[in-house]
Amino acid sequence: MSKTVILVCAHKQDECLAEPPYMPIQVGKAISGVDLGFTGDNTGDNISTRNRNFCELTAHYWAWKNLKGADYVGLCHYRRYFDFGSDTCNVVTAPTRQFFSSPHPVPDFDRLFSRYDMVMSKPKPYAYNLYRDYSRCHRQEDIDTLREIVQELYPDYVESFDHVFFHNNMLSHFNMFVMPWLRFEEYSKWLFDILFEAERRIEIPSDPVQARIFGYMSERLMSVYARRNGLIVKYQTVTMVTDDKKKGLASYMFHSVMNNMLYTITRPFYRNKPKTR
Protein backbone atom coordinates (compact mmCIF):
# COMPACT_ATOMS: atom_id res chain seq x y z
CA MET A 1 0.00 0.00 0.00
CA SER A 2 1.33 3.43 -0.92
CA LYS A 3 2.07 6.00 1.75
CA THR A 4 1.06 9.68 1.54
CA VAL A 5 2.31 12.42 3.86
CA ILE A 6 0.75 15.88 3.68
CA LEU A 7 2.60 18.37 5.87
CA VAL A 8 0.47 20.83 7.84
CA CYS A 9 2.60 23.93 8.42
CA ALA A 10 1.98 25.74 11.70
CA HIS A 11 3.81 28.50 13.53
CA LYS A 12 1.52 29.00 16.51
CA GLN A 13 -0.74 26.98 18.80
CA ASP A 14 -3.99 26.22 17.01
CA GLU A 15 -6.08 23.32 15.84
CA CYS A 16 -4.83 21.44 12.80
CA LEU A 17 -5.49 18.14 11.11
CA ALA A 18 -3.15 15.52 12.53
CA GLU A 19 -4.53 12.16 11.43
CA PRO A 20 -2.77 10.42 8.52
CA PRO A 21 -2.05 11.40 5.85
CA TYR A 22 -1.73 14.77 7.60
CA MET A 23 1.45 15.48 9.55
CA PRO A 24 1.73 18.74 11.52
CA ILE A 25 5.12 20.41 11.36
CA GLN A 26 6.23 23.51 13.26
CA VAL A 27 7.87 25.96 10.88
CA GLY A 28 10.59 28.31 12.02
CA LYS A 29 11.03 26.31 15.20
CA ALA A 30 14.74 27.19 15.43
CA ILE A 31 13.84 30.87 15.87
CA SER A 32 10.68 30.38 17.94
CA GLY A 33 10.37 30.44 21.71
CA VAL A 34 7.34 28.14 21.51
CA ASP A 35 7.24 24.36 21.26
CA LEU A 36 3.96 23.28 19.65
CA GLY A 37 4.50 19.66 20.63
CA PHE A 38 4.99 18.10 17.22
CA THR A 39 7.74 17.64 14.63
CA GLY A 40 9.80 20.76 14.01
CA ASP A 41 11.53 21.87 10.84
CA ASN A 42 14.78 22.29 12.83
CA THR A 43 15.95 18.67 12.83
CA GLY A 44 18.34 16.98 10.44
CA ASP A 45 19.29 18.94 7.33
CA ASN A 46 17.16 22.08 7.61
CA ILE A 47 16.76 25.82 6.92
CA SER A 48 14.53 26.53 9.91
CA THR A 49 16.40 29.72 10.85
CA ARG A 50 15.48 31.23 7.46
CA ASN A 51 11.73 30.88 7.96
CA ARG A 52 11.09 34.65 7.97
CA ASN A 53 12.20 34.73 4.34
CA PHE A 54 11.25 31.23 3.14
CA CYS A 55 7.92 30.86 5.00
CA GLU A 56 6.39 27.38 4.54
CA LEU A 57 9.33 26.40 2.35
CA THR A 58 11.30 25.57 5.49
CA ALA A 59 8.88 22.65 5.93
CA HIS A 60 9.16 21.81 2.23
CA TYR A 61 12.97 21.70 2.52
CA TRP A 62 12.80 19.62 5.70
CA ALA A 63 10.59 17.05 3.97
CA TRP A 64 12.90 16.90 0.95
CA LYS A 65 15.95 16.22 3.10
CA ASN A 66 14.52 14.22 6.01
CA LEU A 67 11.16 12.62 5.23
CA LYS A 68 11.55 8.93 4.48
CA GLY A 69 9.33 6.27 2.99
CA ALA A 70 6.63 8.43 1.41
CA ASP A 71 5.27 7.61 -2.04
CA TYR A 72 3.38 10.91 -2.27
CA VAL A 73 4.09 14.13 -0.42
CA GLY A 74 2.08 17.29 -0.01
CA LEU A 75 2.00 20.58 1.85
CA CYS A 76 -0.82 22.65 3.30
CA HIS A 77 -1.30 25.02 6.26
CA TYR A 78 -3.00 24.80 9.63
CA ARG A 79 -5.76 27.07 8.33
CA ARG A 80 -5.63 26.12 4.62
CA TYR A 81 -6.32 22.65 3.26
CA PHE A 82 -7.14 21.17 -0.11
CA ASP A 83 -10.88 20.55 -0.35
CA PHE A 84 -10.85 17.26 -2.23
CA GLY A 85 -14.64 17.17 -2.21
CA SER A 86 -15.15 20.54 -3.90
CA ASP A 87 -14.47 21.89 -7.34
CA THR A 88 -15.91 25.40 -7.26
CA CYS A 89 -13.84 28.56 -6.80
CA ASN A 90 -10.21 28.81 -5.80
CA VAL A 91 -10.94 29.34 -2.08
CA VAL A 92 -13.94 28.45 0.08
CA THR A 93 -14.31 29.16 3.79
CA ALA A 94 -15.40 27.02 6.71
CA PRO A 95 -15.96 27.91 10.39
CA THR A 96 -13.40 26.38 12.74
CA ARG A 97 -15.79 24.18 14.74
CA GLN A 98 -17.57 22.91 11.64
CA PHE A 99 -14.34 22.11 9.82
CA PHE A 100 -12.60 20.22 12.60
CA SER A 101 -15.74 18.25 13.55
CA SER A 102 -16.23 17.04 9.98
CA PRO A 103 -14.51 14.15 8.18
CA HIS A 104 -11.82 15.01 5.64
CA PRO A 105 -11.47 12.12 3.22
CA VAL A 106 -8.63 12.21 0.72
CA PRO A 107 -8.67 10.63 -2.72
CA ASP A 108 -7.00 7.40 -3.74
CA PHE A 109 -3.70 8.99 -4.71
CA ASP A 110 -2.59 5.96 -6.70
CA ARG A 111 -5.63 6.45 -8.90
CA LEU A 112 -5.34 10.24 -8.95
CA PHE A 113 -1.71 10.16 -10.03
CA SER A 114 -2.43 7.67 -12.76
CA ARG A 115 -4.21 10.60 -14.46
CA TYR A 116 -2.38 13.66 -13.09
CA ASP A 117 1.21 14.63 -12.32
CA MET A 118 0.58 16.93 -9.36
CA VAL A 119 -2.09 18.76 -7.37
CA MET A 120 -1.94 22.55 -7.01
CA SER A 121 -4.31 25.14 -5.59
CA LYS A 122 -6.90 26.40 -8.03
CA PRO A 123 -5.47 29.64 -9.48
CA LYS A 124 -6.82 33.10 -8.83
CA PRO A 125 -7.12 35.58 -11.73
CA TYR A 126 -5.49 39.00 -11.49
CA ALA A 127 -6.12 42.18 -13.44
CA TYR A 128 -2.55 42.26 -14.75
CA ASN A 129 0.08 39.75 -15.79
CA LEU A 130 2.06 38.27 -12.92
CA TYR A 131 5.12 40.38 -13.64
CA ARG A 132 3.18 43.63 -13.32
CA ASP A 133 1.21 42.34 -10.35
CA TYR A 134 4.40 41.32 -8.52
CA SER A 135 6.01 44.65 -9.39
CA ARG A 136 3.05 46.53 -7.92
CA CYS A 137 2.92 44.48 -4.70
CA HIS A 138 6.62 43.79 -4.16
CA ARG A 139 9.85 44.85 -5.94
CA GLN A 140 10.22 44.62 -9.70
CA GLU A 141 14.02 44.35 -9.56
CA ASP A 142 13.78 41.12 -7.58
CA ILE A 143 11.80 39.41 -10.35
CA ASP A 144 14.32 40.72 -12.89
CA THR A 145 17.09 39.14 -10.81
CA LEU A 146 15.09 35.92 -10.53
CA ARG A 147 14.76 35.70 -14.31
CA GLU A 148 18.51 36.23 -14.72
CA ILE A 149 19.16 33.35 -12.34
CA VAL A 150 16.78 31.05 -14.18
CA GLN A 151 18.45 31.98 -17.45
CA GLU A 152 21.88 31.17 -16.00
CA LEU A 153 21.07 27.98 -14.10
CA TYR A 154 18.18 26.51 -16.11
CA PRO A 155 18.06 28.28 -19.49
CA ASP A 156 15.55 25.78 -20.89
CA TYR A 157 13.02 27.15 -18.37
CA VAL A 158 13.17 30.76 -19.59
CA GLU A 159 10.37 30.37 -22.14
CA SER A 160 8.07 28.98 -19.47
CA PHE A 161 9.16 31.69 -17.01
CA ASP A 162 8.30 34.38 -19.54
CA HIS A 163 4.94 32.80 -20.31
CA VAL A 164 3.95 32.57 -16.65
CA PHE A 165 5.10 36.10 -15.76
CA PHE A 166 4.48 38.10 -18.93
CA HIS A 167 1.59 36.34 -20.68
CA ASN A 168 -0.55 35.07 -17.83
CA ASN A 169 -2.70 36.47 -15.01
CA MET A 170 -3.46 33.26 -13.07
CA LEU A 171 -1.68 32.45 -9.79
CA SER A 172 -1.87 29.34 -7.60
CA HIS A 173 -1.36 30.60 -4.06
CA PHE A 174 0.03 29.22 -0.79
CA ASN A 175 2.80 26.91 -2.15
CA MET A 176 0.38 24.04 -1.62
CA PHE A 177 0.82 20.82 -3.56
CA VAL A 178 0.63 17.04 -3.58
CA MET A 179 2.92 15.08 -5.90
CA PRO A 180 4.73 11.74 -6.23
CA TRP A 181 7.99 11.56 -4.31
CA LEU A 182 10.28 11.34 -7.34
CA ARG A 183 8.63 14.43 -8.85
CA PHE A 184 8.95 16.17 -5.47
CA GLU A 185 12.69 15.45 -5.34
CA GLU A 186 13.24 16.83 -8.83
CA TYR A 187 11.10 19.91 -8.21
CA SER A 188 12.78 20.62 -4.85
CA LYS A 189 16.30 20.54 -6.28
CA TRP A 190 15.30 22.87 -9.10
CA LEU A 191 13.43 25.25 -6.78
CA PHE A 192 16.07 25.57 -4.07
CA ASP A 193 18.92 25.85 -6.58
CA ILE A 194 17.19 28.98 -7.86
CA LEU A 195 16.04 30.41 -4.52
CA PHE A 196 19.38 29.94 -2.74
CA GLU A 197 21.10 31.79 -5.57
CA ALA A 198 18.46 34.53 -5.32
CA GLU A 199 19.15 34.73 -1.60
CA ARG A 200 22.82 35.38 -2.35
CA ARG A 201 22.06 38.19 -4.79
CA ILE A 202 19.04 40.00 -3.36
CA GLU A 203 18.98 42.32 -0.36
CA ILE A 204 16.20 41.14 1.93
CA PRO A 205 13.60 43.88 2.59
CA SER A 206 13.38 45.12 6.18
CA ASP A 207 9.58 45.10 6.14
CA PRO A 208 8.50 41.76 7.69
CA VAL A 209 5.79 41.17 5.07
CA GLN A 210 8.07 41.94 2.12
CA ALA A 211 10.80 39.86 3.79
CA ARG A 212 8.77 36.74 2.89
CA ILE A 213 10.27 37.18 -0.55
CA PHE A 214 11.18 33.58 -1.36
CA GLY A 215 7.74 32.33 -0.41
CA TYR A 216 6.24 34.82 -2.88
CA MET A 217 8.68 33.83 -5.60
CA SER A 218 8.11 30.12 -5.19
CA GLU A 219 4.34 30.49 -5.57
CA ARG A 220 5.03 31.68 -9.10
CA LEU A 221 7.93 29.34 -9.83
CA MET A 222 5.75 26.28 -9.22
CA SER A 223 3.73 27.16 -12.32
CA VAL A 224 6.95 27.70 -14.29
CA TYR A 225 8.10 24.21 -13.34
CA ALA A 226 4.74 22.64 -14.20
CA ARG A 227 4.59 24.33 -17.60
CA ARG A 228 8.17 23.53 -18.60
CA ASN A 229 7.72 19.85 -17.76
CA GLY A 230 4.33 19.57 -19.43
CA LEU A 231 2.70 18.39 -16.20
CA ILE A 232 -0.97 17.53 -16.07
CA VAL A 233 -2.12 19.46 -13.01
CA LYS A 234 -5.20 18.78 -10.89
CA TYR A 235 -6.20 22.24 -9.72
CA GLN A 236 -7.99 21.86 -6.40
CA THR A 237 -10.13 24.22 -4.34
CA VAL A 238 -8.62 25.33 -1.02
CA THR A 239 -10.64 25.57 2.20
CA MET A 240 -9.76 28.52 4.41
CA VAL A 241 -10.62 27.71 8.02
CA THR A 242 -11.84 30.94 9.60
CA ASP A 243 -14.59 32.33 11.77
CA ASP A 244 -14.50 35.67 9.97
CA LYS A 245 -17.26 36.40 7.52
CA LYS A 246 -15.91 36.06 4.01
CA LYS A 247 -17.21 36.91 0.61
CA GLY A 248 -19.40 34.28 -1.01
CA LEU A 249 -19.27 32.50 -4.34
CA ALA A 250 -21.18 35.26 -6.15
CA SER A 251 -18.61 37.84 -5.07
CA TYR A 252 -15.77 35.55 -6.12
CA MET A 253 -17.30 35.04 -9.56
CA PHE A 254 -17.84 38.77 -10.00
CA HIS A 255 -14.24 39.65 -9.15
CA SER A 256 -12.90 36.81 -11.30
CA VAL A 257 -14.87 38.03 -14.31
CA MET A 258 -13.82 41.65 -13.70
CA ASN A 259 -10.13 40.78 -13.28
CA ASN A 260 -10.09 38.65 -16.43
CA MET A 261 -11.85 41.44 -18.31
CA LEU A 262 -9.34 44.03 -17.09
CA TYR A 263 -6.46 41.74 -17.98
CA THR A 264 -7.79 41.31 -21.52
CA ILE A 265 -8.25 45.06 -21.93
CA THR A 266 -4.92 46.14 -20.41
CA ARG A 267 -2.79 43.29 -21.76
CA PRO A 268 -1.60 45.18 -24.88
CA PHE A 269 -0.36 48.03 -22.69
CA TYR A 270 1.46 45.91 -20.06
CA ARG A 271 3.40 43.32 -21.96
CA ASN A 272 6.51 44.26 -19.96
CA LYS A 273 9.39 42.78 -21.91
CA PRO A 274 11.92 40.81 -19.83
CA LYS A 275 14.62 42.99 -18.35
CA THR A 276 18.22 42.46 -19.38
CA ARG A 277 21.33 43.93 -17.79
Side-chain angles (χ1 to χ4, degrees):
M1 180 180 294
S2 60
K3 178 181 179 182
T4 302
V5 176
I6 301 177
L7 301 174
V8 182
C9 302
H11 66 278
K12 65 180 182 179
Q13 197 71 55
D14 207 331
E15 282 191 87
C16 60
L17 295 183
E19 295 297 319
Y22 294 101
M23 174 187 164
I25 180 166
Q26 182 174 349
V27 294
K29 187 171 183 179
I31 54 175
S32 172
V34 177
D35 183 350
L36 300 183
F38 43 73
T39 300
D41 65 354
N42 62 334
T43 60
D45 186 350
N46 72 86
I47 57 170
S48 181
T49 58
R50 291 139 86 176
N51 178 258
R52 291 189 181 94
N53 309 131
F54 282 84
C55 310
E56 60 276 349
L57 295 183
T58 59
H60 178 145
Y61 184 91
W62 179 90
W64 176 34
K65 295 298 185 179
N66 301 288
L67 190 62
K68 305 299 181 184
D71 300 290
Y72 307 110
V73 62
L75 183 146
C76 63
H77 303 252
Y78 72 107
R79 287 276 164 171
R80 301 187 189 103
Y81 299 87
F82 284 119
D83 184 351
F84 291 107
S86 175
D87 195 25
T88 53
C89 52
N90 65 322
V91 174
V92 295
T93 60
T96 302
R97 181 176 298 180
Q98 175 185 316
F99 180 84
F100 287 107
S101 63
S102 302
H104 301 284
V106 296
D108 179 335
F109 286 109
D110 286 332
R111 178 176 295 180
L112 188 150
F113 288 114
S114 69
R115 299 176 55 199
Y116 298 96
D117 297 306
M118 68 184 298
V119 177
M120 292 172 57
S121 64
K122 186 163 287 191
K124 175 183 177 179
Y126 282 86
Y128 307 99
N129 65 32
L130 295 194
Y131 180 83
R132 177 163 172 75
D133 180 74
Y134 191 97
S135 300
R136 292 171 70 246
C137 298
H138 308 292
R139 299 188 308 195
Q140 177 179 315
E141 60 267 27
D142 295 341
I143 285 298
D144 295 339
T145 298
L146 186 67
R147 185 182 185 276
E148 290 177 0
I149 292 168
V150 171
Q151 191 163 35
E152 292 173 19
L153 299 184
Y154 294 95
D156 54 328
Y157 279 79
V158 172
E159 184 279 331
S160 294
F161 183 99
D162 288 349
H163 176 86
V164 168
F165 278 91
F166 299 101
H167 305 287
N168 163 67
N169 70 324
M170 305 294 288
L171 175 60
S172 291
H173 280 278
F174 315 129
N175 283 311
M176 291 173 60
F177 63 84
V178 185
M179 64 181 84
W181 179 264
L182 292 179
R183 174 67 62 189
F184 174 65
E185 284 192 308
E186 181 184 271
Y187 170 62
S188 299
K189 181 183 185 308
W190 176 84
L191 178 67
F192 286 104
D193 279 352
I194 293 168
L195 294 182
F196 287 164
E197 183 59 30
E199 185 182 33
R200 284 187 280 271
R201 299 189 192 187
I202 294 173
E203 182 178 352
I204 305 298
S206 58
D207 178 83
V209 174
Q210 295 297 335
R212 301 169 186 170
I213 177 172
F214 304 117
Y216 297 138
M217 287 181 170
S218 59
E219 285 181 304
R220 289 135 178 101
L221 286 173
M222 189 183 295
S223 293
V224 175
Y225 177 85
R227 176 179 171 82
R228 170 60 184 82
N229 290 282
L231 302 188
I232 302 173
V233 178
K234 176 70 170 74
Y235 291 106
Q236 197 69 55
T237 297
V238 170
T239 294
M240 181 83 71
V241 184
T242 177
D243 295 318
D244 295 333
K245 291 183 178 180
K246 298 291 182 177
K247 298 175 182 178
L249 180 59
S251 177
Y252 163 80
M253 294 301 296
F254 172 78
H255 284 94
S256 294
V257 170
M258 290 301 297
N259 280 350
N260 280 324
M261 186 181 299
L262 285 169
Y263 173 66
T264 301
I265 294 171
T266 61
R267 185 177 179 181
F269 304 100
Y270 294 116
R271 287 186 176 171
N272 300 103
K273 294 181 180 179
K275 302 293 183 179
T276 56
R277 299 180 193 178

